[in-house]
Amino acid sequence: MVVSMREGEIISLFMKHFERHSLGDDAGFIKLNNSWLLVTSDMLVWKTDVPDFMTPEDAGRKVVTMNVSDIAAMGGRPMAFFFSLAVPGDVSEDILRGIARGINEGSKVYKLKIVSGDTNEADDIIIDGGSLGIGKRLLLRSNAKPGDLVCVTGDLGRPLTALLLWMRGEKIPREIEEKARNPRARVEEGVKLSSLANSAIDISDGLSKELWEIANASNVRIIIEEERLPISDSVKEIVSDPVKVALASGEEFELLFTIPREKVEELDIDFKIIGRVEGGNGVYIKRGRKIEELEVLGWEHLAGGIDVEL
Amino acid sequence: MVVSMREGEIISLFMKHFERHSLGDDAGFIKLNNSWLLVTSDMLVWKTDVPDFMTPEDAGRKVVTMNVSDIAAMGGRPMAFFFSLAVPGDVSEDILRGIARGINEGSKVYKLKIVSGDTNEADDIIIDGGSLGIGKRLLLRSNAKPGDLVCVTGDLGRPLTALLLWMRGEKIPREIEEKARNPRARVEEGVKLSSLANSAIDISDGLSKELWEIANASNVRIIIEEERLPISDSVKEIVSDPVKVALASGEEFELLFTIPREKVEELDIDFKIIGRVEGGNGVYIKRGRKIEELEVLGWEHLAGGIDVEL
């Protein structure tokens, strides 16, 4: 396949042409009275985003989760889900029923009302979901401050490990498959973080990429420590380079955030401190005594896939 | 192609599985303080929705218009645009630049901020747009009342005539092409209607289908008069059955609304009265002295296209 433009280049091209925009964060935001309205859309393309260890139910639920996660990353509370669906003319009723069940499950898990739907015809199944939320104080990528601690919720590595095992035709252990098939957005964590943290992003493209997003948007230097990464135990048992997998693994839907040191004790959620924010630029990783610049690992659309092995 | 399910059946299947939804109108709505938040998403699939008399700019602008039109049909004021884009790996930069320019133009025409974007890879170009709006009083499909007058903005027939000429490889006259390439959503009209009308819908699938949507949702009988239809003069010159074309022509983005008789004089917009609402059920058309049930004409996704000829 001729790859003419990478995802990042396409985004730049669009941003260059838009005269009135506020793109660049996990969700869009508009001030309304004393609140922030949040809105996001995130598309699932069957061919690239639904490996066959996922059921149609998993896919439907995931579309809800990935959109809700973008609202959570802004510190918002999701209120509604909406979607546009495209299907081939010969799509089976079983697949459609599965997708519908999955979306319904997702809407119940996150207590959302499904408010809008649109149906179309295309060659592949495409579900573009969206979520509407509301927040009091926004968590932007661009607000990390020197002195902040860098933290992450949950554990890392399972979704990518599942994908790598699947690509090799190997059996996926249940605990690893669980997060790959049924990840959960960190809604309550996001709401609690909204009054305390300075910046946040959800881990949809891999920790290393999200760290660079925050460092670049905030114009700060981030240093993380290799041994502090919350790598899933089951991942450690299977992969040869668990750190690399944890840094590259996307669709984790964990929250990566930075928070002033003095506010950490007020934070009533499970999280792990993995590093700190300093003045300067770039993202660095401490491996034993060595500090080196962190490479961006993980998935980029239109860039030819994944650069990590089992 | 094996068509296993029509669009209407797919929508029914989804609605049957959703436990908490408010689907069934042009846009979704959520009460927020004393206002209604409106949100909608509407997808453009290049292969089926972009005939080659349209440029990428036209397509980008149209995605904005079709979403804004759904907000207008609810009586809301659109505030923001967002989108998810899928493109093949070998998409040309020219096409992307055109789409970006078109979206930018649309955002300026309707004074919208572009607040969120998402990029993906797929076999065809797919742009799923969305709009967020706000309203004080909603115009629902389900609120038409016996005694209301049935009205429509603008003129009808040009978009379908353009498509039919294009399918026959014939030259499309400029005035007809204009509305097919650059339709406009009736935003100011919708806002003015919101305080006076009882029900509204935008004409995206053809007048006949939209009339049935209102009659069924409101549980009323609608009678329109053939000679009152605001058929475009340039359509009358070209097509053999202009009434049929006007009833079937979609993507007009005109507003079809019903309004109490006594409120009509307060309405400060251009519109045409085409019929009335009565007690009962169904949609009927008066042709000279005969009244007959109105057939649903026009476009349905996954149903094999258009049932009208030049």
Side-chain angles (χ1 to χ4, degrees):
Chain A
M1 190 179 64
V2 183
V3 176
S4 59
M5 296 183 83
R6 284 176 172 238
E7 187 178 12
E9 294 167 326
I10 295 177
I11 293 168
S12 302
L13 182 149
F14 273 81
M15 289 177 81
K16 207 179 68 187
H17 282 86
F18 291 166
E19 293 167 63
R20 39 172 92 209
H21 79 82
S22 59
L23 299 172
D25 241 295
D26 287 296
F29 45 89
I30 298 177
K31 188 97 187 188
L32 192 71
N33 305 323
N34 294 316
S35 302
W36 290 99
L37 268 185
L38 296 162
V39 68
T40 190
S41 69
D42 212 349
M43 189 182 267
L44 186 146
V45 178
W46 209 264
K47 209 174 69 171
T48 52
D49 300 335
V50 186
D52 66 9
F53 60 77
M54 286 177 68
T55 65
E57 281 85 348
D58 293 339
R61 205 174 40 229
K62 186 177 158 186
V63 177
V64 182
T65 292
M66 63 200 210
N67 280 287
V68 163
S69 181
D70 283 331
I71 301 291
M74 305 290 290
R77 178 159 303 277
M79 299 186 294
F81 179 75
F82 52 91
F83 65 103
S84 294
L85 174 75
V87 292
D90 61 354
V91 67
S92 84
E93 202 174 321
D94 274 355
I95 289 183
L96 289 173
R97 200 177 294 119
I99 294 170
R101 282 203 188 110
I103 290 177
N104 184 57
E105 267 183 61
S107 73
K108 294 203 308 190
V109 168
Y110 302 112
K111 301 183 184 65
L112 307 176
K113 207 165 175 185
I114 302 168
V115 296
S116 176
D118 176 44
T119 319
N120 301 273
E121 183 167 7
D123 291 335
D124 193 12
I125 300 175
I126 288 169
I127 320 173
D128 190 35
S131 182
L132 195 63
I134 195 156
K136 282 286 170 199
R137 176 175 171 265
L138 294 185
L139 297 176
L140 303 175
R141 297 177 181 187
S142 55
N143 201 38
K145 307 286 184 204
D148 282 2
L149 295 175
V150 178
C151 311
V152 67
T153 62
D155 68 271
L156 300 174
R158 287 188 281 162
L160 179 54
T161 303
L163 200 60
L164 294 170
L165 288 169
W166 172 75
M167 287 165 70
R168 301 217 316 204
E170 288 180 29
K171 192 169 154 34
I172 306 170
R174 178 193 285 260
E175 206 197 316
I176 287 180
E177 192 186 63
E178 191 205 344
K179 191 172 181 182
R181 289 184 50 188
N182 189 16
R184 288 293 159 99
R186 297 291 188 178
V187 175
E188 296 309 322
E189 289 85 347
V191 170
K192 286 180 178 172
L193 284 169
S194 70
S195 56
L196 298 168
N198 276 336
S199 70
I201 193 169
D202 74 327
I203 302 180
S204 48
D205 294 329
L207 178 65
S208 61
K209 189 164 173 224
E210 317 303 354
L211 285 163
W212 275 101
E213 293 283 350
I214 289 184
N216 288 337
S218 298
N219 201 21
V220 294
R221 173 181 158 109
I222 290 177
I223 300 175
I224 63 163
E225 295 175 38
E226 188 180 80
E227 68 262 35
R228 284 177 172 267
L229 295 179
I231 306 172
S232 155
D233 287 336
S234 46
V235 169
K236 284 183 194 161
E237 283 168 24
I238 289 178
V239 307
S240 59
D241 190 343
V243 170
K244 196 167 185 183
V245 166
L247 288 166
S249 182
E251 303 190 336
E252 297 276 355
F253 305 116
E254 301 298 345
L255 296 180
L256 168 67
F257 59 96
T258 79
I259 182 168
R261 258 191 190 80
E262 65 275 15
K263 294 203 170 156
V264 163
E265 64 182 276
E266 289 179 59
L267 200 49
D268 180 26
I269 63 169
D270 285 338
F271 67 99
K272 184 103 192 277
I273 298 170
I274 63 167
R276 61 185 190 275
V277 180
E278 298 184 344
N281 285 287
V283 181
Y284 294 83
I285 186 165
K286 199 166 167 242
R287 303 184 188 272
R289 292 181 172 191
K290 278 196 304 187
I291 292 184
E292 53 192 58
E293 196 180 65
L294 182 67
E295 190 188 356
V296 177
L297 299 162
W299 179 266
E300 189 180 20
H301 285 296
L302 306 160
I306 304 167
D307 44 17
V308 180
E309 286 173 5
L310 268 182
Chain B
M1 191 179 63
V2 183
V3 175
S4 59
M5 295 183 85
R6 285 176 172 239
E7 188 178 10
E9 292 169 325
I10 294 176
I11 293 169
S12 302
L13 182 149
F14 273 80
M15 290 178 79
K16 206 179 69 187
H17 281 86
F18 291 165
E19 292 167 64
R20 40 172 90 209
H21 79 83
S22 59
L23 299 173
D25 240 295
D26 287 295
F29 44 89
I30 298 177
K31 188 97 187 189
L32 192 70
N33 305 326
N34 293 316
S35 302
W36 290 99
L37 268 184
L38 296 162
V39 68
T40 189
S41 69
D42 212 347
M43 188 182 268
L44 186 146
V45 178
W46 209 264
K47 209 173 69 171
T48 52
D49 299 336
V50 186
D52 65 9
F53 61 78
M54 286 177 69
T55 65
E57 282 84 350
D58 293 338
R61 205 174 40 229
K62 186 176 159 187
V63 176
V64 182
T65 292
M66 62 200 212
N67 280 286
V68 163
S69 181
D70 282 331
I71 301 291
M74 304 290 290
R77 175 156 311 273
M79 299 187 294
F81 180 75
F82 52 91
F83 66 102
S84 294
L85 175 75
V87 292
D90 60 353
V91 68
S92 84
E93 202 173 322
D94 276 355
I95 289 182
L96 289 173
R97 200 177 293 119
I99 294 169
R101 282 203 188 109
I103 290 177
N104 184 56
E105 267 183 60
S107 73
K108 293 203 308 189
V109 168
Y110 302 112
K111 301 184 183 64
L112 308 176
K113 208 166 178 187
I114 303 168
V115 297
S116 176
D118 176 42
T119 320
N120 302 273
E121 184 168 7
D123 291 335
D124 193 11
I125 301 175
I126 288 169
I127 320 173
D128 189 35
S131 182
L132 195 63
I134 194 155
K136 282 287 169 199
R137 176 174 171 267
L138 293 185
L139 297 176
L140 302 176
R141 298 177 180 186
S142 55
N143 201 36
K145 306 287 184 204
D148 282 1
L149 296 174
V150 178
C151 311
V152 67
T153 62
D155 68 272
L156 299 175
R158 288 188 281 163
L160 178 54
T161 303
L163 200 61
L164 294 170
L165 289 168
W166 172 77
M167 286 164 69
R168 300 216 318 203
E170 289 178 30
K171 192 170 154 33
I172 306 169
R174 178 194 283 261
E175 206 198 315
I176 287 180
E177 193 187 61
E178 192 205 343
K179 190 171 182 182
R181 289 183 51 189
N182 188 16
R184 288 294 158 99
R186 298 291 189 177
V187 175
E188 295 310 321
E189 288 84 347
V191 170
K192 286 180 178 172
L193 284 169
S194 70
S195 57
L196 297 169
N198 275 338
S199 70
I201 192 169
D202 73 327
I203 302 180
S204 48
D205 294 330
L207 178 65
S208 61
K209 188 164 173 225
E210 316 303 354
L211 285 163
W212 276 101
E213 293 284 349
I214 289 185
N216 287 337
S218 298
N219 201 21
V220 294
R221 172 180 159 110
I222 289 176
I223 300 175
I224 62 164
E225 294 176 38
E226 187 181 79
E227 67 262 35
R228 284 178 172 268
L229 294 179
I231 305 172
S232 155
D233 287 337
S234 47
V235 169
K236 285 183 195 163
E237 282 168 24
I238 289 179
V239 306
S240 58
D241 190 343
V243 170
K244 195 166 184 182
V245 167
L247 288 167
S249 182
E251 301 188 339
E252 298 276 356
F253 305 117
E254 301 299 344
L255 296 181
L256 168 67
F257 58 95
T258 79
I259 181 169
R261 257 191 191 80
E262 65 275 15
K263 295 205 171 157
V264 163
E265 63 182 278
E266 289 180 58
L267 199 50
D268 180 26
I269 64 169
D270 285 337
F271 68 98
K272 185 103 192 278
I273 299 171
I274 61 167
R276 62 185 189 275
V277 180
E278 299 184 344
N281 285 287
V283 180
Y284 294 83
I285 185 164
K286 198 164 167 244
R287 304 184 188 273
R289 291 181 172 190
K290 278 197 304 188
I291 292 183
E292 54 193 58
E293 194 179 68
L294 181 67
E295 191 187 355
V296 177
L297 299 161
W299 179 267
E300 189 181 19
H301 285 295
L302 305 161
I306 304 167
D307 43 16
V308 180
E309 286 173 7
L310 268 180

